[in-house]
Amino acid sequence: MTVSGLLSVGLLAQIVQAILVLALAPALTGLVRLLKARLQGRRGASLVQPYRDLACLLRKDVVIAENASWLFQAIPYIVFTMIWFAAVLVPTFTTVLLLGPTADLIALVAFLGSVRFFMALAGMDTGTSFGGLGASREVMIGSLAEPAVLMVIFTVALVAHSTSLIDVAEYLTGTDVGIRVSLLMALLAMVMVAIAENARIPVDNPTTHLELTMVHEAMILEYSGRHLALIEAAAMVKLLLYISLILCMFVPFGIGTRADGFAGIGLGLVVYLGKLMGGAVILAVFESSIAKMRVFRVGEFLGGALLLGVLAMIYLYISWAV
Amino acid sequence: MSTLHYDIAHVLDGSVLLLGFLLLYQRRMFGLINIFAFQALGLALAAAWQAHVHGESHLYATALIALSVKAGIIPYALRRLIIHFGIHRTIDTALGIGPSLVAGATLVALSVMLVLPVTADSAALTREKLALALSTVLIGLLMMITRRNAITQVIGFMALENGLILAAVGVQGMPLVVEMGIAFEVMVAFIIFGIFFFHIRDRFESLDLQYLESHRGERR
């Protein structure tokens, strides 16, 4: 492909991906819910239900607390945009993306960190006790998860000699890296962090109705109408983002690269959908087979993730010293 | 040796170490026993893989012993013991879970720093294997130090022994007789531990070894 051809393909792929992540995210959440319902012996709602929920919320009126500041109304838009943009950056089905060079792992972590900051602000803005409680827990989880994420990123970056997601994916698919203990440990650490960040069981329960155990839900308790719809959609896109990120960093096989041409990119799309479904199945089975842990044990859980990240680094060092 | 062989051996050894960490992380007695069984399974797979790659058929015997005794009989017997004694099924720690995980990571770093200079002129796989095996041994020791209940201490001992076998499998030329001896010794140790359980239990009506310490006159 020529340079201009590459640019236009990159632009096209980028637009497709931007629409794809937004369109797929509710279906992914719906799939996880459906699978969990089936595993628990219930019929479960159809895959379309999350779309219907969002549409319903978008039509409803917004109720805003009297003492809420302008920030409270601005944050749903900020959070949704940032998460969507982050999801657009992560290579899903192809590495030929126009914004590819900006898809840096550390930039991505900074993005997600600022989303957390805004969510915590929104939780505290109305001054209700549950909002503050949720915000303080969210920040605690974040402060524990971030070192672990950075360790994982350092490991992967040292293997691929780059923090760019495109380079990581192309390095892993292109060369004979094989399965390394370091990457295995980094993968486990990343999965643990993803579970904590997406408020899944055992760290948080996305379907809980008990305020005292809530983390994510407690922060958004005051939201309604289209604001709530945006925050719910952002959470769905975030789940997709994390699964895509794990797929891209650790199992990018089948992703369409520059050398593959159009057919390879098309095939990459199919493979990506398959991998996404596999991720949903694993998440549903895992969530159904484990109980939620106490909030104070989250520290140990994420400490374990950090530890795995550190071990991954140590073993990378031995493999090199050899 | 092709990279795939190397990678698979590496991952199997690494999973034994990871399961060692899970032993430190686990809070429930039955979960602990399950993880121990999985660790033994990982060890058996590692030994079988080594036997397959190097064509050393006696390592299959090692794998078989690990699989049958440590992944089968001992977990089953421990489970029976727990049900029989009606032991409290949460794990009582002398050092918290978090600090013991940190201590475990430190031990891994320590064993890496120790193994790398000592084995500077050996093959790559041997060095990594030795580092992993030494870490597993040290984590088993840590488990014995930081857990109060006798059963958890026995599991720590067995995990330590898993690490020893892992080292023996990695280094070529360990005679089968020695391995058989170790396996036999573990069985004997297990039986002796079992008898001790009965005695401790009879005398103190608990398996918490703190009672034993105060009985000996050690005061904290």
Side-chain angles (χ1 to χ4, degrees):
Chain A
M1 277 186 258
T2 59
V3 175
S4 64
L6 205 61
L7 268 182
S8 57
V9 171
L11 183 63
L12 184 68
Q14 192 68 69
I15 292 170
V16 170
Q17 166 154 331
I19 297 166
L20 188 76
V21 286
L22 205 55
L24 274 183
L28 180 74
T29 305
L31 181 63
V32 175
R33 283 185 196 157
L34 180 66
L35 286 169
K36 275 180 76 178
R38 288 287 158 88
L39 282 170
Q40 290 159 3
R42 293 182 284 123
R43 278 180 71 92
S46 83
L47 283 184
V48 198
Q49 192 58 42
Y51 296 99
R52 287 189 202 128
D53 288 347
L54 289 180
C56 168
L57 280 175
L58 279 174
R59 278 198 304 273
K60 286 194 173 178
D61 267 350
V62 174
V63 181
I64 296 171
E66 279 174 14
N67 51 355
S69 68
W70 60 273
L71 208 56
F72 185 76
Q73 295 177 54
I75 279 172
Y77 300 98
I78 299 175
V79 164
F80 178 75
T81 319
M82 286 180 98
I83 294 266
W84 187 22
F85 190 64
V88 168
L89 288 185
V90 178
T92 52
F93 62 96
T94 174
T95 56
V96 188
L97 291 173
L98 193 66
L99 293 175
T102 53
D104 187 88
L105 275 166
I106 293 175
L108 211 59
V109 170
F111 246 114
L112 294 169
S114 28
V115 167
R116 183 182 303 115
F117 169 73
F118 282 120
M119 287 298 291
L121 276 190
M124 291 187 293
D125 192 59
T126 49
T128 57
S129 48
F130 281 124
L133 181 145
S136 85
R137 285 180 181 173
E138 174 82 1
V139 171
M140 180 193 82
I141 291 175
S143 66
L144 292 164
E146 239 153 64
V149 176
L150 284 177
M151 278 298 157
V152 171
I153 286 176
F154 289 154
T155 308
V156 173
L158 283 172
V159 169
H161 306 291
S162 166
T163 54
S164 160
L165 269 171
I166 303 271
D167 290 347
V168 170
E170 286 185 348
Y171 181 83
L172 285 183
T173 43
T175 50
D176 184 23
V177 180
I179 24 180
R180 287 255 179 268
V181 168
S182 303
L183 286 182
L184 187 75
M185 289 174 175
L187 170 65
L188 276 180
M190 191 66 201
V191 168
M192 287 164 89
V193 168
I195 285 169
E197 291 273 4
N198 282 295
R200 312 301 301 189
I201 296 172
V203 174
D204 187 8
N205 187 347
T207 58
T208 183
H209 295 292
L210 183 65
E211 286 92 343
L212 282 177
T213 63
M214 287 177 175
V215 181
H216 178 76
E217 299 293 318
M219 277 193 300
I220 63 172
L221 218 51
E222 292 295 318
Y223 276 111
S224 56
R226 57 175 188 278
H227 293 158
L228 185 61
L230 280 175
I231 288 185
E232 295 276 342
M236 290 169 185
V237 175
K238 193 175 174 190
L239 179 65
L240 184 93
L241 160 72
Y242 266 93
I243 295 183
S244 305
L245 188 62
I246 289 171
L247 290 177
C248 174
M249 277 164 75
F250 297 102
V251 272
F253 312 106
I255 200 166
T257 55
R258 199 162 302 183
D260 294 343
F262 282 110
I265 292 175
L267 186 68
L269 192 58
V270 177
V271 171
Y272 171 68
L273 289 179
K275 285 194 283 195
L276 213 52
M277 272 187 224
V281 172
I282 293 171
L283 179 63
V285 172
F286 177 76
E287 277 203 301
S288 300
S289 57
I290 202 161
K292 186 186 173 306
M293 59 174 67
R294 288 169 54 207
V295 171
F296 292 110
R297 285 193 55 196
V298 172
E300 276 168 21
F301 183 76
L302 287 172
L306 174 62
L307 185 107
L308 281 174
V310 173
L311 281 181
M313 291 276 284
I314 293 176
Y315 276 92
L316 201 63
Y317 173 67
I318 329 182
S319 312
W320 270 348
V322 167
Chain B
M1 200 195 311
S2 76
T3 36
L4 187 64
H5 283 178
Y6 173 82
D7 284 338
I8 290 180
H10 199 46
V11 165
L12 287 173
D13 294 354
S15 58
V16 172
L17 176 65
L18 269 187
L19 287 163
F21 268 102
L22 275 183
L23 284 178
L24 283 180
Y25 182 72
Q26 184 57 249
R27 282 171 182 272
R28 292 195 185 88
M29 205 65 100
F30 277 3
L32 194 71
I33 292 173
N34 285 340
I35 291 172
F36 170 72
F38 274 115
Q39 194 188 31
L41 182 68
L43 177 69
L45 286 177
W49 183 252
Q50 188 82 0
H52 172 69
V53 171
H54 291 287
E56 296 173 43
S57 51
H58 69 268
L59 283 180
Y60 281 121
T62 312
L64 201 66
I65 291 170
L67 189 65
S68 58
V69 177
K70 288 205 204 143
I73 297 172
I74 289 180
Y76 175 73
L78 280 175
R79 205 178 281 266
R80 286 283 305 274
L81 273 177
I82 288 172
I83 294 172
H84 180 80
F85 285 147
I87 292 170
H88 198 53
R89 286 182 201 170
T90 53
I91 284 168
D92 201 8
T93 56
L95 184 68
I97 301 274
S100 49
L101 282 175
V102 172
T106 320
L107 287 176
V108 171
L110 179 76
S111 58
V112 167
M113 285 166 69
L114 186 73
V115 166
L116 283 190
V118 170
T119 57
D121 48 350
S122 335
L125 185 57
T126 315
R127 299 177 70 188
E128 295 202 37
K129 263 195 184 263
L130 273 181
L132 284 164
L134 185 61
S135 320
T136 313
V137 167
L138 289 178
I139 283 177
L141 267 177
L142 182 69
M143 173 112 190
M144 291 181 73
I145 297 169
T146 57
R147 300 291 179 267
R148 288 228 171 94
N149 192 293
I151 293 216
T152 39
Q153 296 202 351
V154 169
I155 290 178
F157 173 77
M158 302 278 170
L160 184 156
E161 202 268 341
N162 277 351
L164 280 182
I165 297 278
L166 194 65
V169 167
V171 182
Q172 292 178 30
M174 166 121 168
L176 184 59
V177 184
V178 179
E179 277 170 35
M180 295 290 282
I182 292 176
F184 185 66
E185 207 170 35
V186 169
M187 275 308 280
V188 172
F190 182 73
I191 293 164
I192 294 172
F193 276 130
I195 295 167
F196 263 108
F197 286 164
F198 275 102
H199 277 280
I200 298 171
R201 160 93 179 170
D202 274 353
R203 197 163 289 264
F204 302 107
E205 294 183 339
S206 166
L207 278 182
D208 191 331
L209 295 183
Q210 252 184 329
Y211 292 101
L212 213 64
E213 282 166 12
S214 57
H215 181 71
R216 280 204 305 258
E218 289 174 19
R219 288 276 177 268
R220 309 184 164 223

